[in-house]
Amino acid sequence: MHPLRRLFAFARPQRRDAVLATVYSVANKILDVLPEILIGVAVDVVVNRQDSFLARMGVVDPMHQLLLLAVATVLVWAFESLFEYLYALKWRGLAQDLQHTLRQSAYAHLQALPPDAIATARSGRLMALLNEDVNQVERFLNTGANDLIQVFVSSLLIGAVFFVLTADLALLAILPIPLILVGAFWFQRRLAPRYAAAREAAATLSARLGNNLRGMATIQAYTAEDVEAEHLRTASDGYRARNAEAIRYSAAITPVIRLAILVGFIATLLYGGWLTLQGELGVGSYSALVYLTQRLLWPMTRLADMTDLYNRAMASVNRIMDLLDAPLPARPARRIEARPAGAIAVEGLAFAYDGRPALRGVDLDVPAGRTVALVGGTGSGKSTLLKLLLGFLRPDAGRILLDGADLTDIDPRSLRAHLAYVAQEPFLTDGSVLENIAYGERAPDRARAEAAARAAEAHAFIAALPTGYDSPVGEGGAALSGGQRQRIALARALYRDPAILILDEATSAVDNETEAAIQRSLARAAQGRTVLVVAHRLSTVRHADAIHVMEAGRIVESGTHEALLARGGVYAGLWRLQTGELQA
């Protein structure tokens, strides 16, 4: 489907504003053409006086004719200015409304996609789409749409005036127009793919910049500034090269159009002048036609800018609409109304990433109210199991049951309302400590947030901050240490009072003393809820009710800490590796 049709289909709620804006643009252009005609009439009055066109209309006195023209000119200019104000108001308002709707819709669609799909799409590309691509559409609606409409309307109006005055001259004057339009479309076909490539190059550059800014400490620590500067230069050169290819074509449009305009203007000047000298065309009509030829053809020089703006916008529209057309995972209608008991059963669970198995027939039982740990090396399948439990992925085989109900039959949002998740690298929003602990609530409960922070052993350092719970955490929690961010994330999970608490390496960034304090807090927080812990540090999970060891997508050992040590298997080997001890 053509990108303009895709945009029209999306902008259905804004169609009334688009129609009004178009009406105002047309009205403004009609009035914009009239002054040239009035100039021709004024010349006719001065030259022919009582034999002028207005005299034949009943206004005989030349002075009265000029006064009538003056009044008409004032009215034309006043209403032209009014409609210019109205179309600017409507088009710019429409541009703002549509860019807001596009950005909100694209972001909402992203939020409905699984996290892995977003990671695959590259954050830099998505940032370019949500910002620069949406802004390209806004710029086109701000000026380009009105320009296209007015060029079309002025061509029709002025062409009609030419044919009324002299058909022969009209044919000569409009002769360049087909050549101009054919040339514009020729350039457009070659510009469209080049601007699409430029947008992709811009996304690549944005991704590189974003990645480097996030990793600046590592870049400097490894003295890799020159290497990354070269990477950035390569990405920027790619963007520059893609733009240069488009510029070679877009820069040629205006000179070609100007040459075609020159042909039409010279034809009007010479042939119209000859007709006037022969007495077949009035002096006023000739004056009007000379002016109108310029008004007819000169706006065509803006086709270069309009084509450029249009092609950039259409390339952006395609990228935005491709995102909005990306299929969303099916969302079951079943909801969890009451707080679940929290019993989890995993039966024959299997999952693969692009044919690479991550889970192979996993069976797991997590009784309600128990604390169960998953341990194992990198790539053993622990994180994949959590993603399936959170509803981010759907299993290839097998199922996960919550209190006997298959998770694939439950609305993921309804499920997540009863879960709390603490990731290995916690996300903090750019707000206050209180806003991050009570994340998602418009009216945070300060007392409840403080209780959750105490449970997460975070209250002491929060109270020491300049403004306590109202202190800003900075972008991504930059004002806090890694351990502080992790404890705030844990406090956020406890604030929610979930039926199921999921901890993915939740103590990986804290020191031993803080880890011990958090373990004491978790022991209290585990009362009345199911806790699922993923950990590399085995000291974190030694007090769990059950520990399951994973390797290559399978559970290879299960038991308590003491039982697994006594068995002398994989877990015992990991324990010796980490602590050098054989028993607790």
mmCIF file with all atom_site columns, all heavy atoms in Angstrom, residues 8-33:
data_model
loop_
_atom_site.group_PDB
_atom_site.id
_atom_site.type_symbol
_atom_site.label_atom_id
_atom_site.label_alt_id
_atom_site.label_comp_id
_atom_site.label_asym_id
_atom_site.label_entity_id
_atom_site.label_seq_id
_atom_site.pdbx_PDB_ins_code
_atom_site.Cartn_x
_atom_site.Cartn_y
_atom_site.Cartn_z
_atom_site.occupancy
_atom_site.B_iso_or_equiv
_atom_site.pdbx_formal_charge
_atom_site.auth_seq_id
_atom_site.auth_comp_id
_atom_site.auth_asym_id
_atom_site.auth_atom_id
_atom_site.pdbx_PDB_model_num
ATOM 1   N N   . PHE A 1 8  ? -3.347  8.143  5.575   1.00 0.00 ? 8  PHE A N   1
ATOM 2   C CA  . PHE A 1 8  ? -4.754  8.537  5.578   1.00 0.00 ? 8  PHE A CA  1
ATOM 3   C C   . PHE A 1 8  ? -5.590  7.560  6.392   1.00 0.00 ? 8  PHE A C   1
ATOM 4   O O   . PHE A 1 8  ? -6.491  7.953  7.142   1.00 0.00 ? 8  PHE A O   1
ATOM 5   C CB  . PHE A 1 8  ? -5.300  8.601  4.149   1.00 0.00 ? 8  PHE A CB  1
ATOM 6   C CG  . PHE A 1 8  ? -4.850  9.828  3.385   1.00 0.00 ? 8  PHE A CG  1
ATOM 7   C CD1 . PHE A 1 8  ? -4.848  9.835  1.999   1.00 0.00 ? 8  PHE A CD1 1
ATOM 8   C CD2 . PHE A 1 8  ? -4.425  10.960 4.047   1.00 0.00 ? 8  PHE A CD2 1
ATOM 9   C CE1 . PHE A 1 8  ? -4.434  10.953 1.290   1.00 0.00 ? 8  PHE A CE1 1
ATOM 10  C CE2 . PHE A 1 8  ? -4.003  12.088 3.351   1.00 0.00 ? 8  PHE A CE2 1
ATOM 11  C CZ  . PHE A 1 8  ? -4.003  12.077 1.971   1.00 0.00 ? 8  PHE A CZ  1
ATOM 12  N N   . ALA A 1 9  ? -5.303  6.269  6.234   1.00 0.00 ? 9  ALA A N   1
ATOM 13  C CA  . ALA A 1 9  ? -6.059  5.256  6.977   1.00 0.00 ? 9  ALA A CA  1
ATOM 14  C C   . ALA A 1 9  ? -5.828  5.410  8.478   1.00 0.00 ? 9  ALA A C   1
ATOM 15  O O   . ALA A 1 9  ? -6.769  5.286  9.278   1.00 0.00 ? 9  ALA A O   1
ATOM 16  C CB  . ALA A 1 9  ? -5.661  3.856  6.518   1.00 0.00 ? 9  ALA A CB  1
ATOM 17  N N   . PHE A 1 10 ? -4.602  5.713  8.868   1.00 0.00 ? 10 PHE A N   1
ATOM 18  C CA  . PHE A 1 10 ? -4.303  5.885  10.289  1.00 0.00 ? 10 PHE A CA  1
ATOM 19  C C   . PHE A 1 10 ? -4.960  7.152  10.847  1.00 0.00 ? 10 PHE A C   1
ATOM 20  O O   . PHE A 1 10 ? -5.441  7.163  11.980  1.00 0.00 ? 10 PHE A O   1
ATOM 21  C CB  . PHE A 1 10 ? -2.792  5.956  10.494  1.00 0.00 ? 10 PHE A CB  1
ATOM 22  C CG  . PHE A 1 10 ? -2.383  6.246  11.910  1.00 0.00 ? 10 PHE A CG  1
ATOM 23  C CD1 . PHE A 1 10 ? -2.286  5.221  12.833  1.00 0.00 ? 10 PHE A CD1 1
ATOM 24  C CD2 . PHE A 1 10 ? -2.114  7.547  12.330  1.00 0.00 ? 10 PHE A CD2 1
ATOM 25  C CE1 . PHE A 1 10 ? -1.921  5.474  14.151  1.00 0.00 ? 10 PHE A CE1 1
ATOM 26  C CE2 . PHE A 1 10 ? -1.754  7.817  13.631  1.00 0.00 ? 10 PHE A CE2 1
ATOM 27  C CZ  . PHE A 1 10 ? -1.655  6.775  14.541  1.00 0.00 ? 10 PHE A CZ  1
ATOM 28  N N   . ALA A 1 11 ? -4.958  8.223  10.013  1.00 0.00 ? 11 ALA A N   1
ATOM 29  C CA  . ALA A 1 11 ? -5.418  9.539  10.485  1.00 0.00 ? 11 ALA A CA  1
ATOM 30  C C   . ALA A 1 11 ? -6.928  9.715  10.332  1.00 0.00 ? 11 ALA A C   1
ATOM 31  O O   . ALA A 1 11 ? -7.394  10.852 10.206  1.00 0.00 ? 11 ALA A O   1
ATOM 32  C CB  . ALA A 1 11 ? -4.674  10.640 9.732   1.00 0.00 ? 11 ALA A CB  1
ATOM 33  N N   . ARG A 1 12 ? -7.692  8.651  10.345  1.00 0.00 ? 12 ARG A N   1
ATOM 34  C CA  . ARG A 1 12 ? -9.143  8.761  10.193  1.00 0.00 ? 12 ARG A CA  1
ATOM 35  C C   . ARG A 1 12 ? -9.778  9.753  11.176  1.00 0.00 ? 12 ARG A C   1
ATOM 36  O O   . ARG A 1 12 ? -10.610 10.569 10.794  1.00 0.00 ? 12 ARG A O   1
ATOM 37  C CB  . ARG A 1 12 ? -9.776  7.375  10.335  1.00 0.00 ? 12 ARG A CB  1
ATOM 38  C CG  . ARG A 1 12 ? -11.229 7.315  9.896   1.00 0.00 ? 12 ARG A CG  1
ATOM 39  C CD  . ARG A 1 12 ? -11.758 5.890  10.038  1.00 0.00 ? 12 ARG A CD  1
ATOM 40  N NE  . ARG A 1 12 ? -10.982 4.958  9.241   1.00 0.00 ? 12 ARG A NE  1
ATOM 41  C CZ  . ARG A 1 12 ? -11.235 4.708  7.961   1.00 0.00 ? 12 ARG A CZ  1
ATOM 42  N NH1 . ARG A 1 12 ? -12.222 5.334  7.342   1.00 0.00 ? 12 ARG A NH1 1
ATOM 43  N NH2 . ARG A 1 12 ? -10.488 3.844  7.291   1.00 0.00 ? 12 ARG A NH2 1
ATOM 44  N N   . PRO A 1 13 ? -9.401  9.754  12.459  1.00 0.00 ? 13 PRO A N   1
ATOM 45  C CA  . PRO A 1 13 ? -10.022 10.717 13.401  1.00 0.00 ? 13 PRO A CA  1
ATOM 46  C C   . PRO A 1 13 ? -9.698  12.171 13.072  1.00 0.00 ? 13 PRO A C   1
ATOM 47  O O   . PRO A 1 13 ? -10.424 13.071 13.504  1.00 0.00 ? 13 PRO A O   1
ATOM 48  C CB  . PRO A 1 13 ? -9.423  10.319 14.760  1.00 0.00 ? 13 PRO A CB  1
ATOM 49  C CG  . PRO A 1 13 ? -8.972  8.911  14.588  1.00 0.00 ? 13 PRO A CG  1
ATOM 50  C CD  . PRO A 1 13 ? -8.522  8.819  13.167  1.00 0.00 ? 13 PRO A CD  1
ATOM 51  N N   . GLN A 1 14 ? -8.623  12.419 12.336  1.00 0.00 ? 14 GLN A N   1
ATOM 52  C CA  . GLN A 1 14 ? -8.230  13.799 12.011  1.00 0.00 ? 14 GLN A CA  1
ATOM 53  C C   . GLN A 1 14 ? -8.727  14.251 10.633  1.00 0.00 ? 14 GLN A C   1
ATOM 54  O O   . GLN A 1 14 ? -8.337  15.320 10.171  1.00 0.00 ? 14 GLN A O   1
ATOM 55  C CB  . GLN A 1 14 ? -6.706  13.931 12.058  1.00 0.00 ? 14 GLN A CB  1
ATOM 56  C CG  . GLN A 1 14 ? -6.090  13.943 13.451  1.00 0.00 ? 14 GLN A CG  1
ATOM 57  C CD  . GLN A 1 14 ? -5.832  12.563 13.998  1.00 0.00 ? 14 GLN A CD  1
ATOM 58  O OE1 . GLN A 1 14 ? -5.785  11.586 13.259  1.00 0.00 ? 14 GLN A OE1 1
ATOM 59  N NE2 . GLN A 1 14 ? -5.659  12.461 15.300  1.00 0.00 ? 14 GLN A NE2 1
ATOM 60  N N   . ARG A 1 15 ? -9.578  13.449 10.005  1.00 0.00 ? 15 ARG A N   1
ATOM 61  C CA  . ARG A 1 15 ? -9.978  13.777 8.630   1.00 0.00 ? 15 ARG A CA  1
ATOM 62  C C   . ARG A 1 15 ? -10.766 15.084 8.558   1.00 0.00 ? 15 ARG A C   1
ATOM 63  O O   . ARG A 1 15 ? -10.637 15.837 7.599   1.00 0.00 ? 15 ARG A O   1
ATOM 64  C CB  . ARG A 1 15 ? -10.785 12.625 8.039   1.00 0.00 ? 15 ARG A CB  1
ATOM 65  C CG  . ARG A 1 15 ? -9.919  11.442 7.646   1.00 0.00 ? 15 ARG A CG  1
ATOM 66  C CD  . ARG A 1 15 ? -10.679 10.371 6.921   1.00 0.00 ? 15 ARG A CD  1
ATOM 67  N NE  . ARG A 1 15 ? -9.804  9.264  6.552   1.00 0.00 ? 15 ARG A NE  1
ATOM 68  C CZ  . ARG A 1 15 ? -10.208 8.180  5.924   1.00 0.00 ? 15 ARG A CZ  1
ATOM 69  N NH1 . ARG A 1 15 ? -11.492 8.036  5.593   1.00 0.00 ? 15 ARG A NH1 1
ATOM 70  N NH2 . ARG A 1 15 ? -9.357  7.216  5.637   1.00 0.00 ? 15 ARG A NH2 1
ATOM 71  N N   . ARG A 1 16 ? -11.595 15.371 9.543   1.00 0.00 ? 16 ARG A N   1
ATOM 72  C CA  . ARG A 1 16 ? -12.364 16.624 9.512   1.00 0.00 ? 16 ARG A CA  1
ATOM 73  C C   . ARG A 1 16 ? -11.420 17.824 9.510   1.00 0.00 ? 16 ARG A C   1
ATOM 74  O O   . ARG A 1 16 ? -11.609 18.778 8.734   1.00 0.00 ? 16 ARG A O   1
ATOM 75  C CB  . ARG A 1 16 ? -13.295 16.697 10.723  1.00 0.00 ? 16 ARG A CB  1
ATOM 76  C CG  . ARG A 1 16 ? -14.141 17.969 10.761  1.00 0.00 ? 16 ARG A CG  1
ATOM 77  C CD  . ARG A 1 16 ? -15.095 17.969 11.957  1.00 0.00 ? 16 ARG A CD  1
ATOM 78  N NE  . ARG A 1 16 ? -15.861 19.198 12.008  1.00 0.00 ? 16 ARG A NE  1
ATOM 79  C CZ  . ARG A 1 16 ? -15.429 20.313 12.587  1.00 0.00 ? 16 ARG A CZ  1
ATOM 80  N NH1 . ARG A 1 16 ? -14.224 20.349 13.139  1.00 0.00 ? 16 ARG A NH1 1
ATOM 81  N NH2 . ARG A 1 16 ? -16.184 21.392 12.599  1.00 0.00 ? 16 ARG A NH2 1
ATOM 82  N N   . ASP A 1 17 ? -10.397 17.788 10.340  1.00 0.00 ? 17 ASP A N   1
ATOM 83  C CA  . ASP A 1 17 ? -9.417  18.876 10.368  1.00 0.00 ? 17 ASP A CA  1
ATOM 84  C C   . ASP A 1 17 ? -8.666  18.958 9.041   1.00 0.00 ? 17 ASP A C   1
ATOM 85  O O   . ASP A 1 17 ? -8.369  20.060 8.559   1.00 0.00 ? 17 ASP A O   1
ATOM 86  C CB  . ASP A 1 17 ? -8.417  18.657 11.508  1.00 0.00 ? 17 ASP A CB  1
ATOM 87  C CG  . ASP A 1 17 ? -9.032  18.938 12.871  1.00 0.00 ? 17 ASP A CG  1
ATOM 88  O OD1 . ASP A 1 17 ? -10.036 19.667 12.917  1.00 0.00 ? 17 ASP A OD1 1
ATOM 89  O OD2 . ASP A 1 17 ? -8.507  18.422 13.869  1.00 0.00 ? 17 ASP A OD2 1
ATOM 90  N N   . ALA A 1 18 ? -8.352  17.804 8.446   1.00 0.00 ? 18 ALA A N   1
ATOM 91  C CA  . ALA A 1 18 ? -7.650  17.797 7.165   1.00 0.00 ? 18 ALA A CA  1
ATOM 92  C C   . ALA A 1 18 ? -8.510  18.413 6.065   1.00 0.00 ? 18 ALA A C   1
ATOM 93  O O   . ALA A 1 18 ? -8.012  19.160 5.217   1.00 0.00 ? 18 ALA A O   1
ATOM 94  C CB  . ALA A 1 18 ? -7.250  16.369 6.796   1.00 0.00 ? 18 ALA A CB  1
ATOM 95  N N   . VAL A 1 19 ? -9.819  18.124 6.077   1.00 0.00 ? 19 VAL A N   1
ATOM 96  C CA  . VAL A 1 19 ? -10.733 18.693 5.078   1.00 0.00 ? 19 VAL A CA  1
ATOM 97  C C   . VAL A 1 19 ? -10.819 20.205 5.245   1.00 0.00 ? 19 VAL A C   1
ATOM 98  O O   . VAL A 1 19 ? -10.742 20.959 4.262   1.00 0.00 ? 19 VAL A O   1
ATOM 99  C CB  . VAL A 1 19 ? -12.128 18.045 5.189   1.00 0.00 ? 19 VAL A CB  1
ATOM 100 C CG1 . VAL A 1 19 ? -13.141 18.805 4.347   1.00 0.00 ? 19 VAL A CG1 1
ATOM 101 C CG2 . VAL A 1 19 ? -12.068 16.583 4.757   1.00 0.00 ? 19 VAL A CG2 1
ATOM 102 N N   . LEU A 1 20 ? -10.962 20.675 6.484   1.00 0.00 ? 20 LEU A N   1
ATOM 103 C CA  . LEU A 1 20 ? -11.032 22.118 6.730   1.00 0.00 ? 20 LEU A CA  1
ATOM 104 C C   . LEU A 1 20 ? -9.733  22.801 6.316   1.00 0.00 ? 20 LEU A C   1
ATOM 105 O O   . LEU A 1 20 ? -9.764  23.877 5.697   1.00 0.00 ? 20 LEU A O   1
ATOM 106 C CB  . LEU A 1 20 ? -11.304 22.380 8.218   1.00 0.00 ? 20 LEU A CB  1
ATOM 107 C CG  . LEU A 1 20 ? -12.750 22.232 8.685   1.00 0.00 ? 20 LEU A CG  1
ATOM 108 C CD1 . LEU A 1 20 ? -12.843 22.393 10.195  1.00 0.00 ? 20 LEU A CD1 1
ATOM 109 C CD2 . LEU A 1 20 ? -13.651 23.244 7.991   1.00 0.00 ? 20 LEU A CD2 1
ATOM 110 N N   . ALA A 1 21 ? -8.612  22.202 6.648   1.00 0.00 ? 21 ALA A N   1
ATOM 111 C CA  . ALA A 1 21 ? -7.325  22.789 6.263   1.00 0.00 ? 21 ALA A CA  1
ATOM 112 C C   . ALA A 1 21 ? -7.213  22.884 4.749   1.00 0.00 ? 21 ALA A C   1
ATOM 113 O O   . ALA A 1 21 ? -6.725  23.896 4.213   1.00 0.00 ? 21 ALA A O   1
ATOM 114 C CB  . ALA A 1 21 ? -6.181  21.945 6.832   1.00 0.00 ? 21 ALA A CB  1
ATOM 115 N N   . THR A 1 22 ? -7.692  21.865 4.046   1.00 0.00 ? 22 THR A N   1
ATOM 116 C CA  . THR A 1 22 ? -7.646  21.870 2.578   1.00 0.00 ? 22 THR A CA  1
ATOM 117 C C   . THR A 1 22 ? -8.539  22.975 2.017   1.00 0.00 ? 22 THR A C   1
ATOM 118 O O   . THR A 1 22 ? -8.152  23.689 1.073   1.00 0.00 ? 22 THR A O   1
ATOM 119 C CB  . THR A 1 22 ? -8.098  20.505 2.032   1.00 0.00 ? 22 THR A CB  1
ATOM 120 O OG1 . THR A 1 22 ? -7.222  19.488 2.548   1.00 0.00 ? 22 THR A OG1 1
ATOM 121 C CG2 . THR A 1 22 ? -8.054  20.483 0.517   1.00 0.00 ? 22 THR A CG2 1
ATOM 122 N N   . VAL A 1 23 ? -9.734  23.127 2.591   1.00 0.00 ? 23 VAL A N   1
ATOM 123 C CA  . VAL A 1 23 ? -10.658 24.177 2.148   1.00 0.00 ? 23 VAL A CA  1
ATOM 124 C C   . VAL A 1 23 ? -10.017 25.554 2.328   1.00 0.00 ? 23 VAL A C   1
ATOM 125 O O   . VAL A 1 23 ? -10.091 26.411 1.431   1.00 0.00 ? 23 VAL A O   1
ATOM 126 C CB  . VAL A 1 23 ? -11.986 24.087 2.922   1.00 0.00 ? 23 VAL A CB  1
ATOM 127 C CG1 . VAL A 1 23 ? -12.846 25.334 2.676   1.00 0.00 ? 23 VAL A CG1 1
ATOM 128 C CG2 . VAL A 1 23 ? -12.753 22.833 2.518   1.00 0.00 ? 23 VAL A CG2 1
ATOM 129 N N   . TYR A 1 24 ? -9.388  25.780 3.466   1.00 0.00 ? 24 TYR A N   1
ATOM 130 C CA  . TYR A 1 24 ? -8.749  27.065 3.722   1.00 0.00 ? 24 TYR A CA  1
ATOM 131 C C   . TYR A 1 24 ? -7.585  27.297 2.748   1.00 0.00 ? 24 TYR A C   1
ATOM 132 O O   . TYR A 1 24 ? -7.379  28.428 2.276   1.00 0.00 ? 24 TYR A O   1
ATOM 133 C CB  . TYR A 1 24 ? -8.245  27.137 5.164   1.00 0.00 ? 24 TYR A CB  1
ATOM 134 C CG  . TYR A 1 24 ? -9.334  27.092 6.208   1.00 0.00 ? 24 TYR A CG  1
ATOM 135 C CD1 . TYR A 1 24 ? -9.100  26.510 7.461   1.00 0.00 ? 24 TYR A CD1 1
ATOM 136 C CD2 . TYR A 1 24 ? -10.599 27.600 5.952   1.00 0.00 ? 24 TYR A CD2 1
ATOM 137 C CE1 . TYR A 1 24 ? -10.091 26.466 8.425   1.00 0.00 ? 24 TYR A CE1 1
ATOM 138 C CE2 . TYR A 1 24 ? -11.602 27.563 6.916   1.00 0.00 ? 24 TYR A CE2 1
ATOM 139 C CZ  . TYR A 1 24 ? -11.343 26.987 8.148   1.00 0.00 ? 24 TYR A CZ  1
ATOM 140 O OH  . TYR A 1 24 ? -12.328 26.933 9.103   1.00 0.00 ? 24 TYR A OH  1
ATOM 141 N N   . SER A 1 25 ? -6.828  26.245 2.444   1.00 0.00 ? 25 SER A N   1
ATOM 142 C CA  . SER A 1 25 ? -5.724  26.382 1.494   1.00 0.00 ? 25 SER A CA  1
ATOM 143 C C   . SER A 1 25 ? -6.235  26.751 0.109   1.00 0.00 ? 25 SER A C   1
ATOM 144 O O   . SER A 1 25 ? -5.656  27.609 -0.576  1.00 0.00 ? 25 SER A O   1
ATOM 145 C CB  . SER A 1 25 ? -4.921  25.076 1.424   1.00 0.00 ? 25 SER A CB  1
ATOM 146 O OG  . SER A 1 25 ? -4.245  24.820 2.627   1.00 0.00 ? 25 SER A OG  1
ATOM 147 N N   . VAL A 1 26 ? -7.312  26.085 -0.318  1.00 0.00 ? 26 VAL A N   1
ATOM 148 C CA  . VAL A 1 26 ? -7.888  26.359 -1.642  1.00 0.00 ? 26 VAL A CA  1
ATOM 149 C C   . VAL A 1 26 ? -8.419  27.787 -1.689  1.00 0.00 ? 26 VAL A C   1
ATOM 150 O O   . VAL A 1 26 ? -8.182  28.528 -2.662  1.00 0.00 ? 26 VAL A O   1
ATOM 151 C CB  . VAL A 1 26 ? -8.996  25.341 -1.953  1.00 0.00 ? 26 VAL A CB  1
ATOM 152 C CG1 . VAL A 1 26 ? -9.754  25.745 -3.212  1.00 0.00 ? 26 VAL A CG1 1
ATOM 153 C CG2 . VAL A 1 26 ? -8.417  23.941 -2.126  1.00 0.00 ? 26 VAL A CG2 1
ATOM 154 N N   . ALA A 1 27 ? -9.154  28.192 -0.640  1.00 0.00 ? 27 ALA A N   1
ATOM 155 C CA  . ALA A 1 27 ? -9.711  29.545 -0.604  1.00 0.00 ? 27 ALA A CA  1
ATOM 156 C C   . ALA A 1 27 ? -8.601  30.596 -0.647  1.00 0.00 ? 27 ALA A C   1
ATOM 157 O O   . ALA A 1 27 ? -8.704  31.610 -1.352  1.00 0.00 ? 27 ALA A O   1
ATOM 158 C CB  . ALA A 1 27 ? -10.570 29.727 0.645   1.00 0.00 ? 27 ALA A CB  1
ATOM 159 N N   . ASN A 1 28 ? -7.547  30.353 0.106   1.00 0.00 ? 28 ASN A N   1
ATOM 160 C CA  . ASN A 1 28 ? -6.427  31.288 0.118   1.00 0.00 ? 28 ASN A CA  1
ATOM 161 C C   . ASN A 1 28 ? -5.792  31.409 -1.266  1.00 0.00 ? 28 ASN A C   1
ATOM 162 O O   . ASN A 1 28 ? -5.463  32.509 -1.725  1.00 0.00 ? 28 ASN A O   1
ATOM 163 C CB  . ASN A 1 28 ? -5.381  30.826 1.143   1.00 0.00 ? 28 ASN A CB  1
ATOM 164 C CG  . ASN A 1 28 ? -4.071  31.581 1.023   1.00 0.00 ? 28 ASN A CG  1
ATOM 165 O OD1 . ASN A 1 28 ? -3.120  31.089 0.416   1.00 0.00 ? 28 ASN A OD1 1
ATOM 166 N ND2 . ASN A 1 28 ? -4.018  32.790 1.577   1.00 0.00 ? 28 ASN A ND2 1
ATOM 167 N N   . LYS A 1 29 ? -5.648  30.284 -1.973  1.00 0.00 ? 29 LYS A N   1
ATOM 168 C CA  . LYS A 1 29 ? -5.007  30.323 -3.283  1.00 0.00 ? 29 LYS A CA  1
ATOM 169 C C   . LYS A 1 29 ? -5.892  31.003 -4.317  1.00 0.00 ? 29 LYS A C   1
ATOM 170 O O   . LYS A 1 29 ? -5.394  31.726 -5.192  1.00 0.00 ? 29 LYS A O   1
ATOM 171 C CB  . LYS A 1 29 ? -4.647  28.902 -3.725  1.00 0.00 ? 29 LYS A CB  1
ATOM 172 C CG  . LYS A 1 29 ? -3.918  28.815 -5.054  1.00 0.00 ? 29 LYS A CG  1
ATOM 173 C CD  . LYS A 1 29 ? -2.752  29.798 -5.179  1.00 0.00 ? 29 LYS A CD  1
ATOM 174 C CE  . LYS A 1 29 ? -1.656  29.567 -4.181  1.00 0.00 ? 29 LYS A CE  1
ATOM 175 N NZ  . LYS A 1 29 ? -0.509  30.507 -4.380  1.00 0.00 ? 29 LYS A NZ  1
ATOM 176 N N   . ILE A 1 30 ? -7.193  30.797 -4.229  1.00 0.00 ? 30 ILE A N   1
ATOM 177 C CA  . ILE A 1 30 ? -8.114  31.492 -5.146  1.00 0.00 ? 30 ILE A CA  1
ATOM 178 C C   . ILE A 1 30 ? -7.950  32.999 -4.990  1.00 0.00 ? 30 ILE A C   1
ATOM 179 O O   . ILE A 1 30 ? -7.834  33.749 -5.978  1.00 0.00 ? 30 ILE A O   1
ATOM 180 C CB  . ILE A 1 30 ? -9.564  31.071 -4.880  1.00 0.00 ? 30 ILE A CB  1
ATOM 181 C CG1 . ILE A 1 30 ? -9.764  29.608 -5.293  1.00 0.00 ? 30 ILE A CG1 1
ATOM 182 C CG2 . ILE A 1 30 ? -10.547 31.974 -5.627  1.00 0.00 ? 30 ILE A CG2 1
ATOM 183 C CD1 . ILE A 1 30 ? -11.125 29.045 -4.902  1.00 0.00 ? 30 ILE A CD1 1
ATOM 184 N N   . LEU A 1 31 ? -7.938  33.458 -3.734  1.00 0.00 ? 31 LEU A N   1
ATOM 185 C CA  . LEU A 1 31 ? -7.796  34.884 -3.479  1.00 0.00 ? 31 LEU A CA  1
ATOM 186 C C   . LEU A 1 31 ? -6.396  35.375 -3.819  1.00 0.00 ? 31 LEU A C   1
ATOM 187 O O   . LEU A 1 31 ? -6.203  36.543 -4.180  1.00 0.00 ? 31 LEU A O   1
ATOM 188 C CB  . LEU A 1 31 ? -8.116  35.172 -2.008  1.00 0.00 ? 31 LEU A CB  1
ATOM 189 C CG  . LEU A 1 31 ? -9.587  34.929 -1.619  1.00 0.00 ? 31 LEU A CG  1
ATOM 190 C CD1 . LEU A 1 31 ? -9.747  34.927 -0.108  1.00 0.00 ? 31 LEU A CD1 1
ATOM 191 C CD2 . LEU A 1 31 ? -10.482 35.998 -2.246  1.00 0.00 ? 31 LEU A CD2 1
ATOM 192 N N   . ASP A 1 32 ? -5.407  34.505 -3.724  1.00 0.00 ? 32 ASP A N   1
ATOM 193 C CA  . ASP A 1 32 ? -4.028  34.873 -4.017  1.00 0.00 ? 32 ASP A CA  1
ATOM 194 C C   . ASP A 1 32 ? -3.832  35.155 -5.504  1.00 0.00 ? 32 ASP A C   1
ATOM 195 O O   . ASP A 1 32 ? -2.959  35.951 -5.887  1.00 0.00 ? 32 ASP A O   1
ATOM 196 C CB  . ASP A 1 32 ? -3.105  33.732 -3.568  1.00 0.00 ? 32 ASP A CB  1
ATOM 197 C CG  . ASP A 1 32 ? -1.641  34.094 -3.755  1.00 0.00 ? 32 ASP A CG  1
ATOM 198 O OD1 . ASP A 1 32 ? -1.227  35.180 -3.322  1.00 0.00 ? 32 ASP A OD1 1
ATOM 199 O OD2 . ASP A 1 32 ? -0.920  33.277 -4.349  1.00 0.00 ? 32 ASP A OD2 1
ATOM 200 N N   . VAL A 1 33 ? -4.616  34.493 -6.352  1.00 0.00 ? 33 VAL A N   1
ATOM 201 C CA  . VAL A 1 33 ? -4.509  34.677 -7.803  1.00 0.00 ? 33 VAL A CA  1
ATOM 202 C C   . VAL A 1 33 ? -5.182  35.981 -8.249  1.00 0.00 ? 33 VAL A C   1
ATOM 203 O O   . VAL A 1 33 ? -4.782  36.594 -9.247  1.00 0.00 ? 33 VAL A O   1
ATOM 204 C CB  . VAL A 1 33 ? -5.118  33.466 -8.535  1.00 0.00 ? 33 VAL A CB  1
ATOM 205 C CG1 . VAL A 1 33 ? -5.276  33.726 -10.017 1.00 0.00 ? 33 VAL A CG1 1
ATOM 206 C CG2 . VAL A 1 33 ? -4.265  32.221 -8.293  1.00 0.00 ? 33 VAL A CG2 1
#
